[in-house]
Amino acid sequence: MELHNILLFCVSLFCWFFLKSYIHSKSRNLPPGPPGLPIIGSLLELGSRPNQSLAELAKIHGPLMTLKLGSVTTIVASSPETTKEILHKHDETFSARTVPIAVAAQPNPEATVAWVNGDHLWKKKRRFLSTQMFSNHRLDSLQELRHQKAAQLVNHIRKQCQTGAVVDIGRVAFATTLNSISNTIFSTDMVDPEFKTANEFKELIWTVMEGSGVPNLSDYFPVLKQLDLQGVKHRIEPAYLRLHEMFDEIIEKRVEARTSGMKKKGDLLDVLLDHCEEDASRFGITIKPLMVELLMAGSDTSAITTEWVMAELLRNPHELQKIREEILQQIGIERPVKESDIEKLPYLQAVVKETMRLHPTVSLLLPHKARNDIDVLGYTVPKNTQVIVNAWAIGRDPKSWEKPLEFMPERFIKSSVDYKDRNFEFIPFGAGRRICPGMPLAIRMVNLMLASIIQPFSWKLPDGISPEKLNMEEQFGVNVRKVAPLVAIPSMDFNKVIV
């Protein structure tokens, strides 16, 4: 009898709570949305690919809709117009972040740039990265480094040609980008020249990225936070700790070298250590979390984009041939492609943009949070409401794009649409004040890698895989990658050797 009374009390309490929540939401003039189920709301409708599920719901409820995800009220923007309101007109109000449990599992999450609120300290960190790592002057000064890494990639593929082996595009692109960024940060390759040592770092990164992107009950029911019902924190925390261990040795060696009077290398690590020596509390950057963030975000997103581009080109051999002809016509075969050559390759750039339109690596932009009550297009978004922008849906919006599901690079030829947030129909790097600070480096790196591996090689799919049957399924995480890694066979006309 006592158990029966307890159950009755619990049911009554839940009913009262959600009835109160329902009545309160109706009085707040929220955007329309699915009614959802008691307690869990619309959680079951997210599925394994929330970017696609939310796009389908937006077709029913509109481009600005409300979902009840557990006890968390969430507004989803799925059109250029609604995104412009949130990330441009009201960007200061929506500059705060909702931090998932998976992200909070890392040591010192408050030292990151992507996940902290857009306050004064965040602005200083952002300005530091913009000037010390991602400014045009800084990127231009490191062009030769990226050329060297692209040359190592080409040499590796050339060896694969000689044996007739397949190339895992995502793996070699990841290793190349990782070495480029690790040299920029601390002047060290993290992957050997034969690309054999990238696997551990890649697995650690994907453990974090996948776990951070999967819907987690602890995020939607904060009262359950400590229980970690899905084991997300349990899986991710060791990966973060291992990444920090990897950088401990690098930092300790650099500090010892500086103490012994060794000449500074002038990389980002030296700059960070200089700032910490001057006034660590004022500057507010803890080195390891920032290094992890830069290496994870930079290497994974660029590698995934490169893999998606090659997948689309292998599905569309005519487009692949068109790019190669453009490269050979504009640059030839006597020397490798350089970053300064990319402006001569408009079709290559169009193919990259078209791929990012269809396959933005961050398909749901990192969640924003309203700092205060705000009116958006006649609806009320209450303070602390979570706001999500569906970049995947925006890139496939039929109101913005002709034949939106087709791969048509020509649409970007002589088009004013660019990566910057002036064009809210195309936001692969986000928009507004929280647009990805690494965008300039990512664009350079992806274009250079693609041009470098297309110039000397012809590519085809392995026997038994036709272009129309190539698996293009997505695997959802913070970054959206291919379910099946892309492998392809390169061949080379050895009468034409780039020197």
Side-chain angles (χ1 to χ4, degrees):
M1 187 65 180
E2 185 177 347
L3 178 60
H4 176 269
N5 290 336
I6 293 174
L7 290 173
L8 183 62
F9 172 77
C10 290
V11 170
S12 300
L13 184 64
F14 272 120
C15 290
W16 173 83
F17 176 80
F18 282 99
L19 179 62
K20 179 183 177 183
S21 177
Y22 175 77
I23 294 172
H24 186 46
S25 66
K26 288 296 183 183
S27 67
R28 290 185 293 180
N29 188 33
L30 292 168
L37 298 171
I39 303 178
I40 64 172
S42 298
L43 277 176
L44 295 180
E45 299 194 58
L46 293 181
S48 60
R49 298 180 179 89
N51 54 335
Q52 299 181 25
S53 303
L54 292 175
E56 290 301 315
L57 286 172
K59 292 177 183 178
I60 301 171
H61 301 285
L64 191 69
M65 64 178 175
T66 304
L67 283 85
K68 196 71 174 179
L69 301 177
S71 60
V72 177
T73 300
T74 302
I75 307 295
V76 181
S78 304
S79 72
E81 295 76 22
T82 56
T83 299
K84 186 175 182 179
E85 285 283 311
I86 291 167
L87 299 185
H88 179 68
K89 184 176 180 180
H90 303 297
D91 66 331
E92 184 172 1
T93 298
F94 292 108
S95 64
R97 287 287 194 213
T98 299
V99 182
I101 301 299
V103 173
Q106 66 182 297
N108 302 319
E110 68 280 357
T112 64
V113 175
W115 291 103
V116 296
N117 291 333
D119 54 14
H120 178 66
L121 184 57
W122 168 82
K123 289 179 181 178
K124 292 180 69 174
K125 293 178 181 179
R126 173 85 180 215
R127 191 179 306 116
F128 171 82
L129 288 180
S130 296
T131 56
Q132 297 297 331
M133 189 162 180
F134 300 125
S135 69
N136 284 330
H137 174 73
R138 178 69 171 163
L139 292 175
D140 285 346
S141 70
L142 294 171
Q143 280 188 64
E144 188 53 39
L145 167 64
R146 292 188 292 278
H147 293 158
Q148 291 173 10
K149 301 309 164 188
Q152 289 176 1
L153 172 62
V154 170
N155 287 335
H156 174 74
I157 295 174
R158 184 178 287 116
K159 292 177 182 178
Q160 303 299 96
C161 282
Q162 294 170 355
T163 62
V166 298
V167 173
D168 184 328
I169 300 295
R171 188 178 74 85
V172 297
F174 177 85
T176 302
T177 310
L178 177 59
N179 275 349
S180 177
I181 296 175
S182 67
N183 271 275
T184 301
I185 297 175
F186 40 73
S187 304
T188 302
D189 277 346
M190 293 198 70
V191 184
D192 67 285
E194 297 302 319
F195 294 4
K196 292 179 180 178
T197 58
N199 288 336
E200 182 189 10
F201 196 85
K202 187 175 183 180
E203 288 302 316
L204 290 170
I205 286 182
W206 185 246
T207 296
V208 172
M209 291 295 191
E210 185 179 26
S212 301
V214 172
N216 183 5
L217 287 175
S218 296
D219 291 321
Y220 301 121
F221 298 98
V223 295
L224 304 176
K225 176 180 177 181
Q226 299 302 322
L227 299 179
D228 193 22
L229 293 175
Q230 293 168 244
V232 171
K233 182 179 179 182
H234 178 73
R235 290 195 304 274
I236 288 180
E237 196 169 36
Y240 270 123
L241 293 175
R242 176 63 183 134
L243 287 168
H244 278 249
E245 286 175 4
M246 287 180 169
F247 299 134
D248 272 332
E249 184 178 350
I250 294 171
I251 295 172
E252 288 173 7
K253 285 183 178 179
R254 180 64 61 85
V255 171
E256 290 174 2
R258 287 160 63 100
T259 303
S260 66
M262 185 177 292
K263 183 180 178 182
K264 294 180 181 179
K265 295 178 181 292
D267 52 24
L268 187 68
L269 179 55
D270 269 337
V271 176
L272 284 167
L273 290 171
D274 287 343
H275 276 279
C276 287
E277 287 173 0
E278 289 173 9
D279 189 346
S281 60
R282 178 178 63 82
F283 190 63
I285 283 184
T286 304
I287 295 178
K288 282 188 292 184
L290 182 63
M291 290 167 64
V292 170
E293 185 175 38
L294 290 171
L295 282 163
M296 282 176 52
S299 56
D300 199 43
T301 53
S302 294
I304 289 172
T305 298
T306 301
E307 185 176 29
W308 279 118
V309 174
M310 286 300 292
E312 287 290 0
L313 290 174
L314 288 164
R315 275 215 312 169
N316 298 272
H318 174 73
E319 312 296 342
L320 178 56
Q321 183 60 30
K322 192 169 180 179
I323 288 181
R324 195 168 192 228
E325 289 174 357
E326 179 183 64
I327 294 172
L328 297 180
Q329 181 179 2
Q330 294 296 325
I331 301 160
I333 58 172
E334 288 76 26
R335 64 171 178 83
V337 179
K338 297 182 178 180
E339 280 188 8
S340 57
D341 296 319
I342 300 301
E343 64 182 19
K344 306 172 189 174
L345 307 173
Y347 198 73
L348 171 70
Q349 295 179 65
V351 164
V352 172
K353 288 180 180 178
E354 177 70 345
T355 303
M356 288 188 177
R357 179 187 71 82
L358 286 169
H359 309 285
T361 53
V362 184
S363 60
L364 299 180
L365 302 188
L366 302 187
H368 296 253
K369 183 170 65 175
R371 291 177 175 272
N372 50 260
D373 291 359
I374 188 75
D375 179 87
V376 177
L377 297 173
Y379 297 106
T380 299
V381 178
K383 180 180 178 179
N384 291 328
T385 298
Q386 176 174 259
V387 179
I388 294 174
V389 174
N390 192 343
W392 188 91
I394 291 168
R396 296 164 182 251
D397 186 350
K399 294 181 180 179
S400 301
W401 305 99
E402 180 186 356
K403 299 179 180 179
L405 302 184
E406 293 188 17
F407 183 72
M408 297 170 52
E410 292 80 5
R411 72 174 88 240
F412 283 100
I413 298 294
K414 297 181 180 178
S415 169
S416 62
V417 176
D418 204 355
Y419 299 103
K420 297 290 179 67
D421 56 335
R422 293 187 298 271
N423 305 290
F424 287 86
E425 66 267 36
F426 182 64
I427 53 169
F429 294 98
R433 68 176 60 199
R434 303 215 65 150
I435 193 171
C436 175
M439 176 181 65
L441 175 58
I443 294 169
R444 290 182 184 224
M445 199 68 213
V446 170
N447 280 291
L448 177 63
M449 278 195 295
L450 286 166
S452 297
I453 66 175
I454 292 173
Q455 181 192 30
F457 305 110
S458 297
W459 292 89
K460 67 176 183 178
L461 292 168
D463 292 341
I465 302 178
S466 60
E468 58 273 11
K469 292 184 179 180
L470 182 63
N471 188 342
M472 299 292 282
E473 271 191 273
E474 298 176 343
Q475 183 170 346
F476 187 82
V478 171
N479 294 334
V480 177
R481 63 174 179 175
K482 289 180 84 277
V483 166
L486 177 67
V487 294
I489 300 173
S491 59
M492 186 173 184
D493 183 350
F494 291 98
N495 293 321
K496 301 176 180 179
V497 179
I498 296 174
V499 294

